[in-house]
Amino acid sequence: MDLYEHQARQLFAEHGVLVPKAEVTDSPAEARDIARRLGGRAVVKAQVRTGGRGRAGGVRLAEDPAAAERAARDILGTDIGGHRVRTVMVAEPVDIESEFYVSYVLDRAAGGFLAIASAEGGTEIEEVAAARPEAVARVPVDPVEGVTEEKAAEIVRAAGLPPRTAGVLERLWRVLTREDALLVEVNPLVRTARGQLVALDGKVTLDDNALFRQVRWSGRQAPREDPLEAAAAARGLNYVRLDGEVGVIGNGAGLVMSTLDVVAGSGARPADFLDIGGGASARVMADGLSVVLSDPGVRSVLVNVFGGITACDAVADGIVRALDAVRPTKPIVVRLDGNNAARGRAVLDGRAHPLVHQAATMDDAARLAARLAHIS
């Protein structure tokens, strides 16, 4: 379950992370009143479960209450990435000195969590990773040990963050564990002119399987507006639709996120995030390929699997069975590594499907998928 920004910020505040004062409304007139209560100047932000709001005109700085009313009127009802804006958040502005990126994400392939952090926040982390991969630190986190004072200091050093950020990292880890989250992201985490560390934006994805013990969210799952995301959710798939041309399927959130970065670095744009988890059966593969290939923007598909508990030959068998069920018309690039990878590659060689291509490494697979997307 993805939370809206204002809901994520509420959780941050409850766990001791500073956030600007803000209120949510669906009324332009009320946006004016909120701005007045906040002191006049305000930031008006569309509340939708997708990124790219700033580029789409969904974030406006209003110099006075009247401007806040106009901004809310302009934003409400618009479409951002296939999501209709039904509410806006009116927040106090912050005097920004520096911007950082911090997040925790579930890494199913590694059986733990991954801390991702950068001293270059404020923009899409994929763009930073593509332009300057050394600027993005990825630090594994043992779910049993968690983010201790020492682990937080390690993340800070790896990303080149201010030392005081360690305390924020510890508090964000409490958000993740106590709220049963799969993803906690702050972009940007800013240092203000007064030296405070403030979360200006936040994303939180809760584990649907744990909602029974998160009483406040019971019955609050909003219907998915994107039809492909709705179809994927109905099949139990962890799928987020993006706006590129290379469909990405992998087993484990960390592996899929890394694959997104490599695809972007190969000159193409990811079309989705689809994590099949650890049980890549024939049905799961067929469902995954069906959803990804239903996106008219997809021009090639990259399946990137690291075999662990699920062996690669079982994954390959699932792909072969899925080919007959889905009948693809777009090229599919498969990279298998890990447990029984050689057997898995042999299974795909034996099927010899004309649209299925194999690659030995993730980099090779991403380059091939990007090239096929550009010529298909």
Side-chain angles (χ1 to χ4, degrees):
M1 176 181 175
D2 296 325
L3 300 186
Y4 288 105
E5 177 194 2
H6 69 272
Q7 295 170 327
R9 287 168 41 143
Q10 175 187 344
L11 293 183
F12 296 164
E14 290 174 3
H15 291 278
V17 178
L18 290 179
V19 296
K21 294 179 181 178
E23 297 181 42
V24 179
T25 181
D26 59 1
S27 163
E30 189 176 7
R32 180 185 186 121
D33 293 338
I34 295 171
R36 184 180 293 112
R37 288 195 292 271
L38 293 175
R41 294 180 75 240
V43 180
V44 182
K45 307 178 73 175
Q47 295 300 282
V48 286
R49 294 182 172 100
T50 188
R53 292 175 300 169
R55 295 177 180 176
V59 179
R60 308 275 185 89
L61 175 62
E63 294 295 338
D64 54 49
E69 180 177 5
R70 291 193 297 271
R73 184 176 292 109
D74 290 342
I75 294 172
L76 287 167
T78 60
D79 182 279
I80 298 178
H83 297 256
R84 182 72 59 185
V85 180
R86 305 185 188 282
T87 60
V88 294
M89 181 175 68
V90 184
E92 64 178 354
V94 173
D95 190 1
I96 299 172
E97 181 180 273
S98 305
E99 298 184 340
F100 316 111
Y101 174 95
V102 294
S103 71
Y104 297 114
V105 63
L106 176 65
D107 186 350
R108 286 191 176 93
F113 285 88
L114 189 66
I116 303 175
S118 175
E120 300 182 17
T123 60
E124 297 292 335
I125 195 63
E126 293 85 359
E127 296 178 4
V128 177
R132 300 184 61 247
E134 71 280 3
V136 180
R138 296 174 174 83
V139 180
V141 177
D142 185 323
V144 176
E145 177 185 346
V147 177
T148 61
E149 183 178 343
E150 293 76 16
K151 176 60 73 172
E154 178 187 348
I155 299 168
V156 165
R157 288 192 301 269
L161 299 174
R164 289 179 51 235
T165 313
V168 178
L169 289 169
E170 292 182 68
R171 290 188 282 275
L172 289 173
W173 178 256
R174 289 199 291 270
V175 173
L176 184 134
T177 54
R178 295 180 183 178
E179 305 297 336
D180 289 310
L182 302 176
L183 167 71
V184 171
E185 177 186 79
V186 180
N187 189 26
L189 174 70
V190 305
R191 181 170 54 197
T192 70
R194 298 172 56 189
Q196 294 178 307
L197 292 173
V198 180
L200 283 198
D201 196 354
K203 294 181 182 178
V204 172
T205 299
L206 303 179
D207 185 352
D208 289 346
N209 296 313
L211 289 180
F212 69 93
R213 61 184 175 216
Q214 297 295 340
V215 179
R216 79 169 95 186
W217 307 114
S218 290
R220 295 178 65 174
Q221 296 96 319
R224 298 174 185 263
E225 297 188 35
D226 185 281
L228 287 181
E229 291 188 357
R235 299 174 184 182
L237 296 172
N238 184 12
Y239 169 85
V240 178
R241 191 177 185 182
L242 305 175
D243 59 356
E245 59 276 349
V246 177
V248 176
I249 301 175
N251 63 325
L255 179 62
V256 177
M257 289 188 70
S258 297
T259 307
L260 299 182
D261 291 343
V262 176
V263 167
S266 299
R269 297 176 304 156
D272 64 70
F273 173 110
L274 199 157
D275 176 12
I276 57 176
S281 66
R283 181 190 62 78
V284 171
M285 285 305 308
D287 287 346
L289 284 171
S290 176
V291 169
V292 172
L293 291 170
S294 296
D295 184 346
V298 167
R299 302 178 69 179
S300 72
V301 178
L302 171 54
V303 179
N304 187 20
V305 171
F306 186 89
I309 296 174
T310 301
C312 285
D313 54 343
V315 173
D317 183 60
I319 293 173
V320 167
R321 297 185 188 183
L323 291 172
D324 295 327
V326 176
R327 299 185 183 279
T329 59
K330 309 288 178 62
I332 301 171
V333 179
V334 181
R335 177 257 186 172
L336 298 176
D337 198 3
N339 185 15
N340 283 353
R343 293 182 186 176
R345 289 191 285 268
V347 169
L348 294 178
D349 286 338
R351 179 63 172 81
H353 193 286
L355 288 176
V356 176
H357 309 265
Q358 294 197 63
T361 69
M362 182 164 64
D363 288 341
D364 290 342
R367 285 191 289 267
L368 179 56
R371 181 171 63 83
L372 292 172
H374 291 149
I375 65 177
S376 65

